[in-house]
Amino acid sequence: EVQLQQSGPELRRPGSSVKLSCKASGYSITDYLMHWVKHRPEHGLEWIGWIDPEDGETKYAQKFQSKATLTADTSSNTAYMQLSSLTSEDTATYFCARNGYYFDYWGQGVMVTVSS
Amino acid sequence: DIQMTQSPSLLSASVGDRVTLNCKASQNIYKNLAWYQQKLGEAPKLLIYNANSLQTGIPSRFSGSGSGTDFTLTISSLQPEDVATYFCQQYYSGSWTFGGGTKLELK
């Protein structure tokens, strides 16, 4: 059974960074792109970018180019997203999601709260 | 970026109703469209891909149609468990974008 297990909720100060994890099971992460999506109830869903874990290639939405860094560790079958220079605008739930086009499996989401 | 506009933003319907949700793309995306259902506090669930293909395990009361710029998600007979927010997503442009969502509630 395919599962994407994300790390637990995070509380960070403004200006700091956070690294989120997404551990895949039931398949090899090198077989599919891994996407990351931001969700704020008042803003809906925003696509952040993808990583190809097989070769490390990444692509980002323009607004997240300097905010997010996507990496992957094939030995642990885990994808990561680091968010830097956090502000209150980064307070959201972040999902990882599998596949190249439409997203057939999603992680459960991780809440990131940025507050002083 | 391709903009996706969903309507209505809020829809109230009764159990057993036929419900239609709309999604419009700002340019031709052919059939590169998916629909997701998101219940409160949960991850989105894929319902429809390639505009009209039903994802495995999704009830047949859900169907999708359309191509180009105009798309529709139809629930043929609304069930209580269908209360959720529904999002469309385009994957034509290489920069994925979502609609703003339609919140479906019971009347």
Side-chain angles (χ1 to χ4, degrees):
Chain A
E1 180 192 4
V2 173
Q3 289 189 334
L4 299 176
Q5 183 65 40
Q6 297 187 241
S7 45
E10 302 276 4
L11 173 62
R12 288 288 187 272
R13 302 294 189 203
S16 67
S17 63
V18 66
K19 190 171 186 177
L20 311 178
S21 66
C22 172
K23 183 171 178 58
S25 59
Y27 81 102
S28 171
I29 62 169
T30 58
D31 290 341
Y32 296 90
L33 300 183
M34 188 72 79
H35 295 254
W36 291 83
V37 176
K38 178 180 182 180
H39 181 234
R40 291 179 291 174
E42 66 278 15
H43 291 91
L45 298 166
E46 294 181 273
W47 174 71
I48 296 171
W50 57 252
I51 183 168
D52 183 346
E54 185 166 34
D55 60 10
E57 181 183 1
T58 55
K59 178 171 181 176
Y60 299 91
Q62 189 169 6
K63 70 175 289 187
F64 293 101
Q65 287 271 8
S66 57
K67 171 62 63 178
T69 302
L70 304 183
T71 57
D73 177 5
T74 57
S75 67
S76 63
N77 222 35
T78 303
Y80 298 90
M81 177 174 70
Q82 178 161 319
L83 300 171
S84 61
S85 303
L86 293 169
T87 72
S88 60
E89 294 295 300
D90 299 315
T91 294
T93 298
Y94 294 86
F95 295 97
C96 56
R98 186 189 86 157
N99 216 338
Y101 298 102
Y102 49 88
F103 304 158
D104 59 353
Y105 287 93
W106 296 64
Q108 82 276 21
V110 55
M111 180 70 192
V112 174
T113 303
V114 183
S115 175
S116 56
Chain B
D1 284 358
I2 297 175
Q3 306 303 314
M4 306 300 293
T5 303
Q6 290 186 244
S7 61
S9 55
L10 176 64
L11 182 57
S12 296
S14 301
V15 173
D17 281 355
R18 182 180 181 88
V19 171
T20 300
L21 287 65
N22 302 297
C23 176
K24 188 174 185 68
S26 61
Q27 66 185 73
N28 189 352
I29 60 170
Y30 299 89
K31 287 195 162 188
N32 294 283
L33 184 104
W35 288 96
Y36 300 88
Q37 176 194 68
Q38 187 177 28
K39 297 183 179 180
L40 198 62
E42 297 183 8
K45 178 192 292 186
L46 176 66
L47 302 175
I48 301 286
Y49 61 94
N50 294 345
N52 60 13
S53 295
L54 189 68
Q55 173 68 348
T56 302
I58 300 302
S60 60
R61 64 180 180 274
F62 291 93
S63 64
S65 64
S67 65
T69 60
D70 293 290
F71 301 87
T72 298
L73 175 70
T74 299
I75 307 173
S76 60
S77 178
L78 186 67
Q79 301 301 302
E81 60 267 29
D82 299 335
V83 168
T85 299
Y86 293 81
F87 294 95
C88 61
Q89 175 208 34
Q90 68 81 19
Y91 45 90
Y92 170 72
S93 68
S95 183
W96 287 249
T97 48
F98 294 87
T102 292
K103 185 175 183 180
L104 179 57
E105 62 178 29
L106 288 179
K107 193 180 291 183

